[in-house]
Amino acid sequence: MSASPLTPLDYIAEGYWKDFLAGRPIAGGIAYETELHNCALDESLESLQRIDTLLSQVRRDMIKGGIWDEATLLVDEHYRNFMVFLAFYAGRVLAQQWENRPRWYGQFELRKRYPELSLITDDFYQHMAASYRDEASKDAASLFFPLEVIGLRLFGHIDRPFEAVQGGQVAGGLYQAVSARLPDLSDQASNPDTLSYLKTESATHNTTQSIHSTIDSSTTISTSQPASHYEASEDVPVNNELADVNIVSANIERPSAATTVSKPLVSTAPRQPELQIKPELTKVESPVIKPKSFVKTPPTPEMFTQLLIDLDEIEVPQTAGVTEYQQACKVLDQFEQHIAKQDKPRSQVVFSDNHIAAKNKALLALQAAAEAGNTAAMLRLAMYELLGEGLTADDEEAKKSGVEWVKQAASKNDSRAQRLLSKLYYQGVGIPQDIDSGKYWLEQAADNGHIEAANLVSQWEQAQALITTQKQEQHSIKRYQLLFGAVIVVAVLILIIV
């Protein structure tokens, strides 16, 4: 199985590390860069002990200097970039212990991939995390939020507790946090399949993907995903103006999706004075990590799960078909709630004839609202057509109909439709894949105030700028090498002539 495309944060993390190794300014400059080089960052666990010592010394010096103020320092990009670099490095060390490469996700991607997490949008320490084990499993237990640990080390005290996103206490240092997540070597030694699996995963992560594919890599549509295990649920009633039936109960549980991306940190503030610090080593026991848990596959593709969230959370004024849309949604929402609880793909959920009749009646009301110009109805109707659950019988015609409804809503400047249309183009769902068109509609959605789209555009642009800068630097190096070579040739010719 191939790894999913790299995220913009993956590019930035790699760029930070390459700049550090090459001695180039990181993100325009970070605090304590000299001290970081003195820590001998060799990607070992011991190097995390040296970083912990550095962080403790930084904290003491800030207190002595009267500048120990968390809010003020987080505004300074030099300090922010210092913390982000350490987070990238800690994730790199941890993933290496699992024979993997870290995969970095911003809040948008985290909300989408791990809906069970409770993330605070404006919390700097929660704005990114690394997946260091099998990133395809979407197991939240394999996430690492290193900024929490760094923040606690620098600013934690009795009146400033740090609460871990994943529950429990935040580790007191990077060495302790990483050690707590190390693989159980005794289990690996007795289980050759585990070692083989880790090596295979490590190999798959080495494939470089196109940055364009990053935008919607986690929203590929599939309606034939395997089920895992079942749990009991209650009956779900449908009772309103359009229907009065009870949907048969089924066994269920559902992950949902939503997330936010944070912007990479680029330094513009004046550089802070650097401190001469001599790190010391400490010994910490390495606890055993818990076995990996299985994660269920949601019955509804994430593309449409997110659409339903957008329709619920993003208000777009409608001038027609409001009553019909609301009536239809009362029925259809009951069906969605029932399907969402299933531990199987949507296509395998069975309804009685009465239920199907109630749903079709709701779809007709939805179609009437869409034809009246209601963009929310257009999008909801498009979803069912693209899923093959709409009023159009032929699959190909249903997909065409669904795409046309999305395009019509997008042409009316509905940012939700523009975002969905960008996904359809990026993924090639219902229409041929077209990266340029996908990017165009993503930018349109961003311009019309779609926050997720705006964050993606911003992050994509910064990742592109990073790649462009690296290419320019490589070009400059080659140019200087050619110039140096020419000088040597001329010097040799002069010696020969003389």
Side-chain angles (χ1 to χ4, degrees):
M1 179 177 64
S2 61
S4 60
L6 300 178
T7 70
L9 281 179
D10 288 327
Y11 284 101
I12 294 168
E14 192 66 21
Y16 272 32
W17 182 239
K18 287 182 179 179
D19 286 343
F20 178 79
L21 294 179
R24 294 189 294 262
I26 301 171
I30 64 175
Y32 309 109
E33 191 166 344
T34 299
E35 285 73 25
L36 284 174
H37 283 284
N38 292 339
C39 283
L41 304 187
D42 55 4
E43 303 182 63
S44 66
L45 290 174
E46 290 75 17
S47 66
L48 297 179
Q49 293 177 315
R50 298 192 284 273
I51 288 176
D52 286 337
T53 303
L54 170 61
L55 289 172
S56 296
Q57 183 64 53
V58 168
R59 176 188 175 119
R60 288 193 293 269
D61 288 341
M62 287 192 300
I63 293 173
K64 289 179 182 178
I67 61 171
W68 189 54
D69 182 84
E70 182 180 6
T72 301
L73 292 174
L74 286 181
V75 173
D76 187 331
E77 293 295 337
H78 284 78
Y79 280 95
R80 288 165 61 94
N81 291 342
F82 169 64
M83 297 170 70
V84 169
F85 173 79
L86 292 181
F88 283 148
Y89 179 75
R92 186 182 190 90
V93 173
L94 176 57
Q96 191 174 74
Q97 295 297 314
W98 284 88
E99 300 187 22
N100 279 330
R101 290 181 61 186
R103 303 307 304 274
W104 289 96
Y105 301 108
Q107 270 205 5
F108 161 66
E109 292 147 319
L110 289 171
R111 290 182 189 278
K112 177 172 290 188
R113 296 174 63 87
Y114 309 98
E116 66 272 25
L117 294 177
S118 298
L119 299 173
I120 302 174
T121 302
D122 297 329
D123 192 329
F124 169 74
Y125 305 105
Q126 297 180 10
H127 89 272
M128 63 184 222
S131 173
Y132 57 90
R133 292 162 69 185
D134 178 14
E135 62 95 16
S137 72
K138 298 186 181 181
D139 182 359
S142 67
L143 284 180
F144 180 35
F145 287 81
L147 284 173
E148 292 179 333
V149 183
I150 298 168
L152 176 64
R153 193 83 175 184
L154 288 175
F155 305 114
H157 56 86
I158 190 169
D159 295 323
R160 176 58 174 105
F162 278 73
E163 296 182 3
V165 174
Q166 296 159 297
Q169 295 182 339
V170 177
L174 290 173
Y175 181 86
Q176 180 185 356
V178 169
S179 297
R181 293 168 171 80
L182 293 180
D184 185 348
L185 298 181
S186 61
D187 285 350
Q188 288 187 18
S190 62
N191 186 359
D193 291 339
T194 302
L195 288 174
S196 175
Y197 166 76
L198 291 175
K199 291 179 180 178
T200 302
E201 282 299 300
S202 176
T204 61
H205 279 285
N206 291 330
T207 304
T208 301
Q209 303 287 340
S210 166
I211 189 171
H212 284 291
S213 301
T214 305
I215 303 294
D216 288 291
S217 62
S218 62
T219 56
T220 304
I221 289 186
S222 172
T223 56
S224 58
Q225 301 168 1
S228 51
H229 63 278
Y230 292 86
E231 296 178 3
S233 71
E234 300 176 355
D235 290 347
V236 183
V238 177
N239 188 358
N240 52 49
E241 296 90 339
L242 292 176
D244 186 11
V245 293
N246 288 323
I247 296 180
V248 180
S249 67
N251 301 317
I252 58 207
E253 189 171 332
R254 160 208 189 165
S256 63
T259 151
T260 297
V261 202
S262 59
K263 298 169 69 173
L265 307 173
V266 180
S267 176
T268 55
R271 185 158 185 162
Q272 298 294 324
E274 297 177 340
L275 310 174
Q276 296 301 321
I277 302 168
K278 295 181 180 179
E280 300 176 358
L281 298 180
T282 57
K283 294 183 179 180
V284 180
E285 294 290 332
S286 301
V288 175
I289 195 166
K290 296 179 180 179
K292 291 166 56 171
S293 59
F294 293 98
V295 177
K296 294 191 226 176
T297 301
T300 300
E302 290 183 10
M303 177 184 292
F304 298 123
T305 302
Q306 185 60 47
L307 172 62
L308 293 176
I309 293 172
D310 282 355
L311 288 172
D312 186 50
E313 296 183 352
I314 301 176
E315 295 238 357
V316 175
Q318 304 293 335
T319 58
V322 176
T323 301
E324 292 87 347
Y325 175 72
Q326 292 175 346
Q327 289 178 343
C329 285
K330 287 180 181 179
V331 176
L332 296 173
D333 284 345
Q334 297 287 337
F335 278 85
E336 289 304 317
Q337 290 168 13
H338 176 70
I339 293 172
K341 296 177 182 178
Q342 302 307 301
D343 201 31
K344 62 183 81 172
R346 294 176 66 100
S347 59
Q348 296 179 14
V349 180
V350 178
F351 296 103
S352 69
D353 291 341
N354 288 339
H355 299 149
I356 293 173
K359 182 178 180 180
N360 287 338
K361 189 174 181 180
L363 289 174
L364 287 171
L366 200 64
Q367 181 173 278
E371 291 174 347
N374 188 299
T375 57
M378 294 177 190
L379 292 173
R380 191 79 183 249
L381 189 61
M383 181 187 84
Y384 289 110
E385 294 288 4
L386 290 168
L387 286 170
E389 302 173 10
L391 298 171
T392 307
D394 182 75
D395 288 343
E396 289 301 318
E397 291 301 319
K399 289 180 180 178
K400 290 180 181 178
S401 174
V403 171
E404 287 305 315
W405 281 122
V406 177
K407 287 182 175 179
Q408 187 173 335
S411 68
K412 294 179 178 292
N413 283 332
D414 188 316
S415 64
R416 304 165 300 185
Q418 292 168 337
R419 177 66 184 115
L420 178 59
L421 186 55
S422 74
K423 292 180 181 181
L424 297 182
Y425 274 116
Y426 274 118
Q427 295 293 329
V429 176
I431 45 178
Q433 188 178 43
D434 187 336
I435 299 301
D436 290 336
S437 295
K439 184 171 181 292
Y440 169 79
W441 285 109
L442 182 70
E443 291 171 343
Q444 292 297 306
D447 290 342
N448 282 309
H450 196 288
I451 295 176
E452 173 206 324
N455 286 331
L456 282 172
V457 169
S458 176
Q459 195 173 29
W460 181 87
E461 288 174 347
Q462 295 207 30
Q464 281 288 81
L466 176 65
I467 294 172
T468 301
T469 300
Q470 290 177 340
K471 288 181 179 178
Q472 290 173 345
E473 290 174 350
Q474 292 172 356
H475 179 71
S476 297
I477 292 172
K478 290 180 180 179
R479 184 176 61 188
Y480 288 132
Q481 289 174 340
L482 291 173
L483 180 60
F484 182 70
V487 170
I488 292 177
V489 171
V490 171
V492 170
L493 290 175
I494 292 174
L495 289 174
I496 294 174
I497 294 173
V498 173

